[in-house]
């Protein structure tokens, strides 16, 4: 700051002095040319000193910017990772990512402008002090003009602050909805809702644009005031000078000293609205970050101890609550002691608090009272597996060094060896975001392997075996969790619903009514006939796997359970089993319709993505903007801006500077007028009177004032057209970008991180909304100043052109190198920034797991390493700009001093007025050249955002939404035919479906089964045309679905997905976003899914907000709401993907009845991950490696004893032959 101050003092105090002295020296015929040349050399020395001080100050400021940004990013990350759960509910991941990137950048960048803010008042003070010295009291009129404008701009700054606040809320709302749209894109495409949700995003964007328009209107007025004011101030002061001083004559040295001072003031004046704009943005970001950083932090309610007293987990009279204001705790009066090296199962009804007990041990839930102590290091396996975007090996190692022997044993015991054989790069296969290329079972097994490899003291396992098949679960329990498993010497707390594992545990904790109802061994609790018995009866009723387990137990002879307990368990199993009286040969219709919740709670439909290769995420394309590409992108922006608007903008702004130059040339002619000059010299020519002098002055002053009025009109046109053009460009580009994203094929979303897409709508569109038009304005402003200054210099001293030509060539030469390096560094900056945001998003999603393992420091170091990589590139950019700045300093200062030097060599040829004109404008060249390069670099950086947006706009889209003529009432039967159908996800990949041919009769119920990677999910994608075929066709009621539009097809199909997804917003919007049905229609559909009573009991009914991702409802309720959507559609073809996996047995029965009654005439295809779901279907389609292996009724496939028979055996289903075959 001291260097900047010194630089300003040198410029402000020496420029007018040297201007006056040089003009006097030139005008004085008796002065020596050597004096003028000496003054020129001193001027060069002073300008070089001031320039070097500026460059060093600039370097220091931007180095400080890097440090501030790093500190803010690190602070936001630490806060997000340690955010209390109450505070976490207030912020979406998108909002916190904005704090990390956008707000941290804004604060750090604009803090470097504080020197401008601090020195602007001093700037005004010193300039007007010198103006008073030159013009006397007349300068007070100019100061009064500035003072009159100030309150208006203060009011505008206040209004702009309010508008920035409003727009920040609009942007948060847009990003929040956009994140949900991108996360649920598959659902949108399956339901043909892209346009509907695109309109919702457009509505929010229109609110943004409304605010943006008002911001630009206010800014237009500010820019008009501050651009017109320098000339207006000079007119006012010159008028005042003549009226206050009678017949005084304005000398060239006074006139051009004033011009020089106003040119110095002009930069501060022109920067004032931008500085106010920047400070307003920074204050908004400071306020947002301040609020976030003051939120409550996580404070572990459990105490971790390292000393051993034989008790691993101890809770004494402990109560816990997820809600501080709740009078009824989630868990109350818990007294629990878990010995070291013991295996404890936690059981209880749904909602009894099992996961809350695990959270209590982790310290994640608020402790109301009591004590909680956990001995040793903790490893945690969450109910929903958290997977990093890294190799599978690194997901398991989780920062630990490689122990090959231990690693191989962990992989084998966690049943991951077959999966590694299937993955294209084995354990070095890259796992995509959120584990996109792994099934639910694979993700859970990787999560468990991570915990086992971690070698902790206490293992908290929140239902980790729910997502795996029964035989895989038994293998993991025996090899990992059980008495002979890898963790036999560790303390293990296992939440489970599976009766199979209970006999093998040391003790069981039974939760009921928010407290520990019972504890004891399996045999003791089973004999006690207490709460555990009721829980066990519920488990047997709700989970089909438990019935199969007991049936196997009944036949076993070497089980550890004594005969009395076995008899009691079998009796409990038989109590609520529905009796089948139907003599149909179909296999156990009612029993087998019950599905296992734990087997499919988290299974993914992306099993076919295993063929996608070692890397799933496509690397971001390099963006380099320079040369022809710069002009190409500018023309793209001009097209969005509007050709006529752009032409009028450039013309009006260019005309403004032409008039400005003409005004200064007119001032030269005014001060050099022979009549006025003779009066100034004290000589009156023959016939010249004072009236002639006054009339001449008024003529010059009138023209000078008229030029000022014309300049003001040009600026008014420019600001008005800019407001229209910028808003038009922003609307056009955002709409094209949104349309392109919504119309992109699903393969794009599978290989592109959501964060990368949201960056296009947040940071890149922000650049296009504000930084790009501002940068173009500043660049054009500096180019215009340099151009008119060169014209003025050449006009005053034509011989200077000999020097300007080689300097221009030199400038272009170094600019070419600087532009290329800047483009490449900016591209590197973008690439090094993306890993920061990806790591942030990933870490926040798994913050609970990171805290459980106690590895926050490692994750913080990882972020800081990525920030350091980003800062290295930013520092190289800073050095590049300073290198260019020094070269431009030499060019500008040489032009300025050489102009004065050469004029003194030709002493007597030019008048003092022309000397003043040339010197004043050569000083402008000196200050504007550096600013021109800075703004050009910023424009190129901002055009990279334009390039990235254009890349996404030009991405290939899906087929047409509407195409051809769809027959009336089509489809009316629901007959499906696959004819030699083949499918691959990308041209360079293998086929995932190979020459499939089969037909389905209208109204037939078909189960589709197969092992992981068989092609089940691909079959669904092909029916909805989420992926286009490599060859073959699918006919629906005789119509080739490839011949009609995507929406024509998808609107006629219905699907109940495995993973239920709801969007933030009213419940009614989630059920009927297109407003096609009445409230009564929706309530009737809810009645069929047995949710009408629940919805009507809500205070807001159908207007109830669903929360982010439907978080205000349970998974089962979300699944039922998805079924309600399907009922409203009344389609002839229905696809189910384990639709009842998340509901209890009673609701399951009711749903099955609804499917039979409401879809009795529909063709139903069920993608089954569990065979018992489809054992009563008409026919079963068995897929393997993308081919049809078997297709017949379940009875015939069992009789055949082929692939399906073997799958049934492996799944633990006891295949029974029909009476006809016995």
């Amino acid at each position: 700051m001291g260097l900047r101050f010194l630089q300003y003092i040198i410029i402000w105090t020496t420029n007018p002095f040297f201007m006056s002295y040089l003009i006097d020296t030139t005008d004085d015929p008796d002065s020596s040319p050597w004096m003028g040349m000496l003054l020129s050399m001193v001027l060069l020395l002073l300008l070089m000193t001031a320039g070097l001080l500026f460059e060093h100050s600039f370097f220091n400021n931007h180095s400080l910017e890097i440090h501030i940004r790093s500190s803010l990013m690190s602070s936001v990350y630490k806060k997000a990772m340690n955010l209390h759960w109450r505070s976490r509910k207030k912020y979406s991941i998108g909002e916190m990512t904005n704090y990390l990137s956008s707000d941290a950048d804004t604060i750090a960048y604009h803090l470097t402008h504080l020197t401008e803010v601090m020195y602007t008042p001093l700037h005004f003070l010193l300039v007007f002090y010198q103006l008073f010295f030159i013009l006397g009291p007349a300068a007070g009129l100019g100061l009064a003009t500035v003072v009159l404008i100030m309150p208006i701009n203060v009011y505008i700054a206040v209004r702009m602050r309010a508008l920035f606040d409003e727009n920040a809320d609009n942007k948060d709302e847009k990003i929040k909805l956009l994140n949900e749209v991108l996360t649920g894109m598959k659902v949108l495409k399956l339901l043909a809702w892209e346009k509907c949700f695109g309109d919702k995003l457009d509505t929010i964007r229109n609110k943004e644009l409304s605010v943006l328009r008002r911001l630009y209107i206010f800014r237009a007025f500010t820019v008009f005031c501050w651009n017109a004011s320098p000339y207006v101030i000079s007119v006012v002061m010159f008028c005042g000078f003549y009226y206050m001083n009678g017949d005084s004559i304005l000398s060239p040295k006074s006139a051009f000293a004033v011009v020089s001072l106003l040119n110095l003031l002009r930069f501060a004046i022109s920067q004032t609205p931008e500085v106010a704009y920047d400070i307003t943005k920074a204050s908004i970001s400071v306020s947002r970050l301040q609020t976030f950083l003051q939120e409550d932090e996580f404070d572990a309610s459990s105490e971790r101890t390292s000393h051993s007293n034989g008790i691993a987990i101890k809770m004494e009279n402990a109560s816990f609550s997820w809600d501080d204001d709740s009078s009824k705790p989630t868990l109350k009066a818990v007294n629990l002691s878990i010995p070291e090296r013991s295996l404890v199962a936690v059981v209880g009804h749904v909602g009894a608090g099992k996961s809350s007990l695990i959270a209590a041990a982790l310290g994640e839930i608020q402790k109301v009272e009591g004590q909680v102590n956990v001995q040793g290091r903790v490893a945690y396996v969450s109910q929903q597996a958290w997977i990093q975007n890294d190799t599978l090996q690194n997901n398991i190692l989780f920062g630990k060094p490689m122990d090959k022997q231990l690693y191989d044993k962990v992989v084998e015991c966690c049943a991951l060896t077959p999966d590694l054989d299937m993955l294209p790069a084995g354990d070095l296969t890259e796992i995509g975001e959120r584990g996109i290329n792994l099934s639910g079972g694979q993700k859970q097994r990787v999560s468990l392997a991570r915990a086992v490899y971690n070698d902790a003291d206490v293992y908290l396992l929140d239902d980790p075996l729910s997502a795996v098949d029964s035989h895989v679960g038994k293998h993991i329990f025996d090899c990992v969790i059980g008495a002979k498993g890898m963790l036999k010497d560790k303390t293990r707390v296992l939440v489970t619903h599976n009766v199979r594992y209970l006999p093998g545990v040391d003790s069981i904790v039974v939760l009921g009514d928010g407290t520990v109802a019972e504890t004891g061994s399996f045999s003791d609790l089973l004999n006690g006939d207490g709460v555990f018995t009721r829980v066990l009866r519920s488990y047997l009723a709700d989970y089909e796997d438990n019935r199969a387990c007991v049936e196997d137990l009944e036949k076993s002879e070497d089980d550890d359970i004594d005969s009395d307990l076995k008899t009691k368990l079998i009796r409990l199993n038989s109590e609520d089993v529905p009796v089948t009286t139907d003599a149909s040969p179909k296999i156990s219709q009612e029993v087998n319709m019950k599905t296992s919740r734990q087997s499919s709670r988290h299974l993914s439909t992306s099993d076919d993505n295993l063929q996608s290769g070692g890397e799933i995420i496509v690397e971001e394309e390099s963006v380099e903007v320079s040369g022809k590409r710069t002009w190409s992108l500018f023309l793209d922006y001009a097209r969005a801006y509007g050709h006529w608007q752009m032409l009028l903008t450039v013309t009006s702004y260019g005309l403004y500077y032409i008039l400005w130059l003409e005004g200064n040339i007119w001032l030269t002619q005014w001060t050099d007028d022979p009549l006025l000059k003779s009066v100034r010299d004290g000589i009156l020519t023959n016939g010249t009177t004072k009236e002639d002098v006054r009339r001449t002055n008024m003529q010059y002053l009138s023209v000078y004032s008229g030029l000022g009025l014309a300049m003001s009109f040009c600026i008014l046109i420019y600001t008005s057209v800019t407001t229209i053009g910028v808003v038009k460009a922003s609307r056009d580009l955002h709409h094209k970008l949104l349309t392109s994203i919504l119309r992109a094929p699903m393969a794009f979303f599978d290989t592109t991180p959501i964060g990368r897409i949201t960056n296009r709508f947040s940071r890149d569109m922000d650049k296009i909304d504000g930084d790009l038009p501002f940068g173009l304005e500043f660049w054009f402003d500096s180019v215009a100043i340099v151009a008119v200054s060169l014209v003025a210099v050449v006009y005053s001293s034509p011989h200077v052109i000999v020097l300007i030509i080689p300097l221009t060539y030199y400038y272009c030469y170094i600019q070419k190198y600087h532009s290329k390096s800047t483009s490449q560094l900016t591209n590197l900056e973008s690439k090094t920034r993306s890993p920061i945001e990806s790591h942030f998003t990933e870490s926040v999603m798994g913050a609970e797991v990171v805290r459980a393992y106690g590895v926050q420091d490692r994750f913080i170091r990882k972020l800081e390493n990525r920030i350091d990589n980003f800062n290295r590139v930013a520092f190289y950019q800073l050095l590049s700009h300073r290198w260019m700045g020094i070269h431009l300093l030499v060019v500008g200062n040489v032009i300025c001093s050489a102009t004065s030097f050469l004029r003194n060599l030709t002493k007597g040829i030019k008048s003092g007025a022309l000397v003043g004109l040339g010197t004043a404008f050569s000083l402008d060249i000196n200050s504007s050249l550096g600013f021109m390069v800075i703004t050009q670099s910023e424009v190129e950086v901002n055009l990279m955002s334009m390039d990235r947006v254009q890349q996404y706009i030009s991405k290939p889209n899906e087929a047409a939404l509407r195409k051809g003529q769809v027959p009336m009432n089509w489809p009316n039967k629901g007959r499906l035919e696959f004819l030699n159908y083949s499918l691959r996800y990308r041209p360079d990949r293998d086929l995932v479906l190979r020459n499939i041919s089969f037909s389905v009769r209208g109204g037939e119920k078909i189960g589709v089964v197969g092992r992981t990677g068989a092609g089940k999910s691909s079959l669904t994608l092909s029916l909805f045309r989420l992926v286009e075929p490599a060859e073959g066709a699918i006919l629906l009621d005789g119509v080739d679905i490839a011949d009609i539009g995507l929406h024509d097809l998808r609107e006629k199909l219905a699907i109940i997905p495995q993973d239920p997804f709801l969007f933030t917003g009213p419940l009614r919007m989630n059920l009927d976003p297109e407003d096609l049905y009445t409230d009564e229609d929706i309530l009737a559909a809810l009645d069929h899914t047995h949710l009408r009573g629940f919805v009507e009991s809500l205070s807001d009914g159908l207007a109830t907000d669903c929360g982010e991702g439907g978080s205000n409802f349970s998974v089962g309720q979300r699944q039922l709401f998805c079924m309600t959507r399907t009922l409203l559609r009344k389609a002839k073809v229905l696809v189910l993907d384990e639709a009842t996996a998340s509901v209890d047995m009673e609701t399951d029965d009711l749903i099955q009845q609804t499917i039979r009654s409401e879809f009795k005439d529909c063709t139903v295809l069920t993608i089954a991950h569990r065979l018992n779901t489809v054992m009563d279907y008409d026919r079963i389609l068995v897929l393997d490696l993308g081919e049809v292996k078997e297709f017949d009724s379940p009875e015939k496939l069992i009789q055949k004893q082929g692939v399906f028979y073997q799958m049934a055996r492996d799944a633990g289903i006891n295949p029974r032959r029909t009476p006809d075959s016995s």
Side-chain angles (χ1 to χ4, degrees), residues 978-997:
F978 282 71
L979 305 177
N980 296 320
Y981 190 88
S982 297
L983 179 74
R984 60 164 52 94
Y985 285 107
R986 281 184 275 173
D988 58 336
R989 299 300 183 192
D990 294 334
L991 292 172
V992 293
L993 293 177
R994 297 178 175 83
N995 298 318
I996 287 181
S997 295

Side-chain angles (χ1 to χ4, degrees), residues 64-327:
L64 179 63
E65 175 192 346
I66 292 173
H67 289 298
I68 292 172
R69 181 177 58 218
S70 302
S71 299
L72 289 174
M73 293 173 93
S74 181
S75 297
V76 170
Y77 180 79
K78 291 174 183 176
K79 189 71 178 186
M81 290 297 290
N82 212 31
L83 204 60
H84 194 278
W85 61 267
R86 282 192 313 270
S87 303
R88 176 65 183 86
K89 292 194 295 185
K90 300 178 185 177
Y91 301 97
S92 68
I93 291 178
E95 287 176 295
M96 290 188 285
T97 305
N98 273 339
Y99 297 151
L100 179 87
S101 55
S102 179
D103 289 311
D105 273 352
T106 300
I107 294 171
Y109 175 77
H110 295 305
L111 277 179
T112 61
H113 286 65
L114 282 179
T115 52
E116 304 294 341
V117 179
M118 295 173 63
Y119 289 127
T120 294
L122 183 62
H123 201 154
F124 277 98
L125 184 63
L126 286 178
V127 167
F128 274 103
Y129 170 78
Q130 295 181 77
L131 286 173
F132 272 103
F133 181 78
I134 296 169
L135 297 177
L141 296 175
L143 181 60
T145 304
V146 174
V147 171
L148 285 174
I149 295 174
M150 283 293 185
I152 300 174
N153 284 276
V154 170
Y155 168 76
I156 289 176
V158 172
R159 291 290 299 124
M160 289 176 73
R161 167 65 190 258
L163 290 172
F164 273 119
D165 276 331
E166 184 181 345
N167 224 18
D169 293 338
N170 290 333
K171 287 177 181 178
D172 286 344
E173 183 184 0
K174 182 185 77 173
I175 294 301
K176 186 175 183 179
L177 178 58
L178 180 67
N179 266 309
E180 291 198 339
V181 165
L182 295 174
T183 304
M185 183 57 71
K186 188 173 183 179
V187 173
L188 290 186
K189 288 188 176 295
L190 290 172
L191 297 175
W193 283 355
E194 304 103 298
K195 184 179 184 303
C196 175
F197 278 83
D199 291 342
K200 296 181 188 299
L201 284 166
D202 273 337
T203 300
I204 301 174
R205 176 61 176 172
N206 287 335
K207 290 196 292 184
E208 267 192 276
L209 291 175
S210 174
V211 175
L212 187 68
R213 183 183 295 105
R214 283 177 281 163
L215 277 170
Y216 270 92
I217 289 172
F218 281 121
R219 183 181 176 277
F221 182 79
T222 307
V223 170
F224 168 74
C225 288
W226 292 113
N227 274 276
S229 58
Y231 200 92
V232 171
I233 290 171
S234 67
V235 171
V236 170
M237 288 193 299
F238 289 153
C239 287
F241 178 80
Y242 283 114
Y243 279 106
M244 291 181 182
N245 296 283
D247 299 323
S248 296
I249 305 301
L250 188 68
S251 66
K253 70 175 184 179
S254 297
F256 285 99
V258 170
V259 170
S260 177
L261 285 168
L262 289 178
N263 284 343
L264 287 174
L265 188 63
R266 185 179 181 279
F267 179 76
I269 288 176
S270 64
Q271 284 294 294
T272 299
E274 305 311 325
V275 169
Y277 183 88
D278 291 343
I279 295 302
T280 301
K281 287 181 70 176
S283 65
I284 294 291
S285 294
V286 167
S287 177
R288 282 158 56 88
L289 271 190
Q290 184 178 16
T291 302
F292 176 70
L293 294 175
Q294 288 177 343
E295 293 288 357
D296 293 336
E297 291 193 3
F298 169 79
D299 183 16
S301 59
S302 65
E303 296 180 10
R304 302 277 179 93
T305 60
S306 57
H307 64 275
S308 175
N309 57 2
I311 302 298
I313 300 175
K314 187 175 183 62
M315 298 184 185
E316 295 179 327
N317 197 33
S319 297
F320 307 91
S321 176
W322 289 110
D323 186 359
D324 284 344
D325 300 327
S326 176
S327 58

Side-chain angles (χ1 to χ4, degrees), residues 389-450:
N389 180 200
D390 204 338
T391 64
L392 189 142
Q393 182 186 96
N394 287 340
N395 268 280
I396 295 174
L397 297 179
F398 203 52
K400 295 283 185 180
M402 169 62 85
D403 181 337
K404 186 62 176 174
Q405 185 177 357
L406 174 62
Y407 177 81
D408 291 340
K409 185 176 181 181
V410 168
V411 168
E412 181 181 356
C413 291
C414 291
L416 283 169
T417 304
D419 300 292
L420 298 185
D421 294 337
M422 292 179 60
L423 294 172
D427 62 354
L428 296 180
T429 299
E430 181 189 2
I431 308 303
E433 277 192 332
R434 305 179 309 280
I436 191 171
N437 51 333
L438 295 179
S439 70
Q442 289 169 329
K443 285 187 280 187
Q444 197 63 275
R445 280 178 276 140
V446 170
S447 180
L448 181 62
R450 175 173 60 211

Side-chain angles (χ1 to χ4, degrees), residues 30 92 206 387 398 499 574 612 701 1179 1216:
D30 299 328
S92 68
N206 287 335
I387 303 296
F398 203 52
V499 176
S574 63
S612 60
L701 186 59
R1179 286 192 287 174
R1216 290 175 288 171

